[in-house]
Amino acid sequence: MKLLVFAGSTRTGSYNRQLARVAADMGEFRGAQVTLLELSSLNIPLYNADLEAQGTPPDVIRLKALMHAHPGWVICSPEYNGGMTALLKNTLDWASSPIKGHPEWGSSGIKPFAGKVVGLLSASPGALGGLRSLAQLAPVLCNLQCWVAPRQHALGHADRAFSEHGTLLSEAAHAAVQGVVDQVLLAAGRLSPPQP
């Protein structure tokens, strides 16, 4: 099973990037082929239809291909002002925009998303752990025809949740994140069509 993991943050020391690494390690431990995507590695501008008309950035095409190739995803979503980050929303907006005249991505913007099983995690120094960002993200993904896993986890007090080696200190938090990863792998394995 191929699993794509990424966080909606590029900040150095981001708790959600740390959580994404934890989730990726868990997926690998379960035998998945994991791609840990750093959004900072993509050169994707702020979405603008006029800019898009001049030509879709190459990294958007790369992003679409990555998303399409992985039946299961885990997204770690920071919370800014009660919602998902502009970076994460911008990433989804570009990935869901069809490329006019492109042989693979021209017909439908839904193609990279449809049928993907997506697990949602968040981390925040606050007590709610970024939970409100997940409440905003889930309907966006459903609108893009993703299957959003019922199990989610918001890691509260994330500023003291990780060891110096990047692992989770709490056994309960570890089990909760593992539960999300496991559910994504199970559901993606059952829902994705057989690979040629």
Side-chain angles (χ1 to χ4, degrees):
M1 175 56 59
K2 290 185 176 181
L3 180 68
L4 179 66
V5 182
F6 61 96
S9 174
T10 58
R11 182 179 67 84
T12 301
S14 161
Y15 302 124
N16 284 277
R17 289 177 64 206
Q18 291 182 63
L19 189 57
R21 284 191 290 272
V22 168
D25 288 344
M26 290 178 176
E28 288 182 346
F29 183 76
R30 292 293 198 241
Q33 183 181 336
V34 179
T35 299
L36 179 58
L37 173 64
E38 290 285 358
L39 294 184
S40 60
S41 70
L42 301 173
N43 184 16
I44 298 179
L46 187 65
Y47 181 79
N48 180 300
D50 292 334
L51 177 63
E52 184 180 33
Q54 299 171 26
T56 297
D59 277 358
V60 170
I61 299 173
R62 178 183 163 212
L63 174 65
K64 286 174 176 283
L66 270 174
M67 289 177 157
H68 185 62
H70 293 77
W73 305 352
V74 173
I75 301 176
C76 299
S77 176
E79 179 181 296
Y80 288 3
N81 297 315
M84 75 180 91
T85 60
L87 170 67
L88 181 53
K89 184 61 165 61
N90 189 62
T91 299
L92 299 176
D93 288 344
W94 270 111
S96 62
S97 183
I99 304 173
K100 187 175 180 180
H102 194 280
E104 187 170 6
W105 309 113
S107 59
S108 173
I110 300 299
K111 183 176 179 180
F113 296 87
K116 306 305 178 186
V117 176
V118 186
L120 301 183
L121 300 171
S122 63
S124 168
L128 294 178
L131 185 65
R132 291 174 295 181
S133 73
L134 302 186
Q136 186 184 79
L137 177 57
V140 172
L141 293 168
C142 288
N143 187 63
L144 291 168
Q145 299 181 20
C146 295
W147 297 89
V148 177
R151 292 193 72 164
Q152 302 176 8
H153 183 64
L155 179 67
H157 306 295
D159 52 329
R160 52 181 187 269
F162 298 93
S163 73
E164 60 180 311
H165 304 294
T167 57
L168 289 168
L169 294 170
S170 164
E171 290 184 11
H174 185 280
V177 174
Q178 185 72 72
V180 173
V181 172
D182 288 349
Q183 191 170 71
V184 169
L185 294 176
L186 176 65
R190 293 186 176 183
L191 292 173
S192 61
Q195 298 297 313

